[in-house]
Amino acid sequence: MSQLNIDWANLPFGYMPTDYNVRCYFRNGAWGEIELCSEENINIHMAATCLHYGQEAFEGLKAFRCKDGKIRIFRMEANAERLQSTCRGILMPELPTEKFCEMVKKVVKMNERFIPPYESGASLYIRPLLIGTGAQVGVRPANEYLFVIFVTPVGPYFKGGFAANPYVVIREFDRSAPLGTGIYKVGGNYAASLLANKKAHDLGYSCEFYLDAKEKKYIDEAGAANFFGIKNNTYITPKSTSILPSITNRSLMQLAEDLGLKVERRQIPIEELATFEEAGACGTAAVISPIERIDDLELNKSYIIAKDGKPGPISKKLYDKLRGIQYGDEPDVHNWVTVLD
């Protein structure tokens, strides 16, 4: 294989071809064998349910090259379980956790040369994708499915790295309905966010900020990430029937407890933004994106959270702790990490 000529330190968060992906087909009511593939394209029927009725789910996780030379994958079992939850929500066959993990490990191992070096600030992004491939014209679940995992090396999600960013409240668009597909990781939720995201960028903000779809009173999500706020030694994050259960947020809640903070999951009225000492958006891509301020242009109001424009001390501590676990620099007391042999 040719030597890679990659500028690891300036890697964008985007797609780069790698050597292999892994695939598994669901046919005749059962999952088949795991296949290793070097082809980037998928041959798909034009009447496939994923193309017409949105029978599609995906996940996102990362692998890291560590100081000790080993490769660590973060919380893949949790991703397998969340994918199973999505499958139950949109009537797709559940992929067993063991098969999911076996495929993740295989695709990482087969693309080992694309894992960025330790301390480059980059990682190997792992994208599992499940699509309904069976042909249907009526609105019903497919009878055949394809599960594929590809990987690509990525740099930080936000160019500035761990820096505070401005957000803007968007009221005229909803990311998802209270009892809709918001709790599932399906492409439709992200399609629904594109217009709001473009508007936020056009206005000069790093991301849009959603309120609940029903009453427009409570904090929902920060773009495609979960929101958290910190005050009075308490980590507070929204409880809602339309928010994707972020594995990063779950991890941060546990680490906050480990650091002696209280954790609250509850409805957060937008006015409460004025009382937070720190706030951030969290997810696999950015881990934590600290929030500098949130502007509510409709009400001509600005909630300034990072007074000096810098991330707060607790957010920094949580970020460093989580990254430390991912890179093997901190003890993995909760067994979140899988070390590849």
Side-chain angles (χ1 to χ4, degrees):
M1 285 183 186
S2 59
Q3 190 63 36
L4 293 175
N5 185 24
I6 297 172
D7 181 2
W8 298 112
N10 294 301
L11 209 55
F13 194 92
Y15 177 75
M16 176 189 292
T18 52
D19 293 330
Y20 299 101
N21 56 80
V22 290
R23 304 181 179 195
C24 186
Y25 289 89
F26 182 90
R27 294 185 179 118
N28 302 316
W31 288 102
E33 296 301 311
I34 295 169
E35 300 173 17
L36 187 65
C37 185
S38 56
E39 172 60 56
E40 290 177 86
N41 296 321
I42 294 169
N43 186 15
I44 193 168
H45 195 286
M46 61 186 176
T49 60
C50 64
L51 300 177
H52 298 265
Y53 306 124
Q55 256 204 319
E56 177 272 355
F58 69 101
E59 281 296 323
L61 60 158
K62 285 179 176 176
F64 305 85
R65 193 180 296 283
C66 304
K67 195 191 285 181
D68 59 10
K70 292 179 179 170
I71 297 160
R72 285 172 171 80
I73 304 167
F74 189 68
R75 301 206 75 170
M76 62 179 176
E77 291 88 354
N79 283 94
E81 288 160 12
R82 188 170 65 181
L83 180 63
Q84 290 157 5
S85 168
T86 299
C87 288
R88 290 191 292 272
I90 61 169
L91 293 184
M92 298 200 291
E94 292 180 44
L95 188 82
T97 301
E98 302 72 36
K99 184 153 267 194
F100 181 98
C101 293
E102 185 185 346
M103 290 177 71
V104 168
K105 287 190 276 194
K106 189 176 183 74
V107 76
V108 170
K109 201 78 182 144
M110 295 305 295
N111 292 287
E112 192 171 336
R113 70 194 189 111
F114 288 93
I115 305 174
Y118 177 73
E119 284 189 331
S120 62
S123 55
L124 188 74
Y125 187 77
I126 304 163
R127 169 54 60 86
L129 172 70
L130 177 59
I131 56 173
T133 52
Q136 294 281 9
V137 176
V139 183
R140 64 178 72 91
N143 56 359
E144 293 188 357
Y145 295 82
L146 167 63
F147 180 64
V148 57
I149 308 180
F150 66 84
V151 297
T152 186
V154 294
Y157 191 71
F158 291 107
K159 284 193 179 74
F162 189 67
N165 293 291
Y167 284 65
V168 62
V169 173
I170 299 282
R171 279 187 175 80
E172 62 267 50
F173 304 111
D174 293 324
R175 185 187 145 272
S176 65
L179 298 176
T181 58
I183 58 171
Y184 307 125
K185 200 164 175 69
V186 294
N189 296 339
Y190 296 81
S193 74
L194 293 175
L195 205 50
N197 186 258
K198 183 183 184 303
K199 180 173 180 179
H201 286 166
D202 289 349
L203 290 168
Y205 295 90
S206 73
C207 221
E208 73 276 20
F209 195 79
Y210 295 104
L211 301 181
D212 74 286
K214 192 176 181 182
E215 298 181 85
K216 299 289 186 196
K217 287 182 183 176
Y218 302 101
I219 294 168
D220 208 54
E221 290 214 299
N226 278 191
F227 170 86
F228 72 88
I230 290 167
K231 65 174 180 180
N232 306 327
N233 204 46
T234 306
Y235 181 103
I236 304 164
T237 193
K239 188 178 173 70
S240 161
T241 56
S242 61
I243 293 175
L244 183 74
S246 160
I247 291 162
T248 304
N249 196 7
R250 228 167 90 189
S251 307
L252 292 172
M253 283 188 253
Q254 180 61 63
L255 294 179
E257 284 185 353
D258 294 350
L259 291 171
L261 276 75
K262 280 189 293 189
V263 171
E264 290 179 7
R265 279 189 72 222
R266 58 172 172 80
Q267 285 188 316
I268 306 171
I270 185 171
E271 297 79 20
E272 197 172 338
L273 282 172
T275 68
F276 286 120
E277 298 150 23
E278 302 176 35
C282 59
T284 298
V287 182
I288 291 176
S289 173
I291 295 172
E292 179 194 353
R293 72 175 196 278
I294 298 169
D295 292 344
D296 190 341
L297 302 180
E298 204 173 293
L299 299 186
N300 198 23
K301 216 168 179 179
S302 189
Y303 299 97
I304 298 169
I305 294 160
K307 307 285 189 287
D308 57 359
K310 292 179 184 159
I314 294 174
S315 297
K316 178 85 171 76
K317 207 175 274 187
L318 289 168
Y319 176 81
D320 289 345
K321 188 84 175 163
L322 188 59
R323 296 263 296 173
I325 294 167
Q326 290 175 333
Y327 280 100
D329 297 332
E330 291 270 356
D332 178 27
V333 297
H334 300 293
N335 297 314
W336 288 341
V337 169
T338 300
V339 182
L340 286 194
D341 301 327

